[in-house]
């Protein structure tokens, strides 16, 4: 997709992270993960729908066997602020008891969703639960969460692309860009 054309189309504001930067970052993250989990079974848990692109590229950058499973949870309505109210729309297929689980996330904003998810997964008796997130907004975080692998810290503005949406649009952009405020305010 041609960003210029999309920009003209859909009110993107600023290109924040290019596709090359994202892929380079995920390759480095994959190397760290390979070394940290050497000799261990690993289950990647993706959070639908935003983490689809991160999962696809991170999993393929890993030079080892991994399993992938998915959860769909919802904490956002149609707006842009986290409600903190989390509902499971689709649960994991796998039993994670005794397993090493790595949550794969697109973005950590307030951290409310993720802290709920970590507690939920911990209650299922896994061997370990860690977090890999492509993006984090440090200025927006309300929860103290240990994120083991972080791609980029970004400013506290609403971003789209590479899996992230506004009203289900823009997920298929290859880059991450800020959305013009007048689109969502
Ligand atoms: P949190 O609970 O505030 O950390 O929000 C978590 C979820 O909100 C993410 O997994 C995204 O689905 C969504 N989200 C947070 N910030 C953004 C953004 O800037 N753009 C698009 N979605 C976002």
């Amino acid at each position: 997709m041609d960003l210029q054309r999309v920009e003209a189309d859909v009110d993107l504001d600023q290109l924040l992270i290019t596709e090359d930067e994202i892929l380079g970052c995920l390759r480095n993250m994959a190397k760290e993960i390979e070394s940290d989990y050497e000799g261990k079974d690993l289950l990647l848990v993706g959070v639908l729908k935003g983490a689809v692109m991160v999962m696809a590229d991170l999993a393929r950058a890993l030079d080892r066997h991994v399993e992938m499973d998915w959860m769909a949870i919802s904490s956002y309505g149609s707006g842009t602020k986290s409600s903190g109210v989390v509902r499971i729309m689709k649960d994991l297929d796998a039993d994670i008891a005794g397993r090493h689980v790595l949550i794969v996330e697109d973005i950590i904003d307030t951290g409310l969703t993720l802290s709920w998810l970590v507690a939920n997964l911990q209650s299922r008796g896994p061997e370990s639960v860690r977090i890999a997130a492509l993006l984090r907004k440090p200025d927006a975080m309300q929860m103290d969460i240990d994120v083991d692998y972080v791609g980029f810290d970004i400013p506290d503005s609403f971003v789209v692309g590479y899996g992230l949406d506004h009203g289900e649009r823009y997920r298929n952009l290859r880059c991450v860009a800020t959305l013009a405020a007048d689109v969502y305010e």
Side-chain angles (χ1 to χ4, degrees):
M1 188 175 296
D2 172 29
L3 179 63
Q4 297 311 315
R5 192 179 60 73
V6 172
E7 252 172 347
D9 252 352
V10 294
D11 297 317
L12 297 185
D13 189 27
Q14 201 189 344
L15 171 62
L16 269 194
I17 310 169
T18 65
E19 181 182 20
D20 281 353
E21 287 169 336
I22 294 170
L23 294 178
C25 162
L26 291 178
R27 274 195 294 272
N28 291 337
M29 197 184 279
K31 286 204 181 74
E32 261 186 78
I33 292 169
E34 278 167 16
S35 111
D36 293 351
Y37 288 91
E38 201 176 340
K40 295 176 181 162
D41 150 77
L42 178 59
L43 175 68
L44 303 179
V45 169
V47 184
L48 293 169
K49 305 171 190 170
V52 166
M53 311 299 177
V54 190
M55 177 70 108
D57 287 329
L58 179 64
R60 286 180 296 178
L62 284 168
D63 190 15
R64 54 156 293 154
H65 289 297
V66 283
E67 283 178 42
M68 285 177 256
D69 203 347
W70 299 92
M71 269 181 96
I73 55 180
S74 155
S75 70
Y76 266 34
S78 53
T80 59
K81 292 269 178 290
S82 192
S83 64
V85 178
V86 178
R87 272 189 308 158
I88 297 183
M89 321 292 281
K90 184 223 168 283
D91 207 344
L92 296 175
D93 295 329
D95 177 1
I96 61 169
R99 302 195 64 183
H100 292 286
V101 174
L102 181 59
I103 300 172
V104 176
E105 260 287 26
D106 47 359
I107 191 165
I108 304 170
D109 186 359
T110 62
L112 290 167
T113 313
L114 200 54
S115 68
W116 178 91
L117 181 61
V118 169
N120 181 286
L121 295 183
Q122 287 287 13
S123 73
R124 306 180 192 200
E127 178 71 27
S128 71
V129 177
R130 287 176 149 197
I131 300 163
L134 179 68
L135 306 170
R136 176 173 64 182
K137 295 181 188 170
D139 297 340
M141 277 185 77
Q142 293 175 21
M143 309 295 291
D144 193 16
I145 303 178
D146 243 352
V147 188
D148 306 274
Y149 310 96
V150 188
F152 302 92
D153 280 326
I154 61 168
D156 183 12
S157 42
F158 198 76
V159 296
V160 292
Y162 201 74
L164 290 158
D165 76 309
H166 180 253
E168 294 302 324
R169 297 181 69 183
Y170 318 107
R171 291 195 198 274
N172 56 329
L173 288 178
R174 290 177 178 273
C175 61
V176 172
T178 53
L179 194 58
D182 60 304
V183 178
Y184 61 89
E185 276 176 352

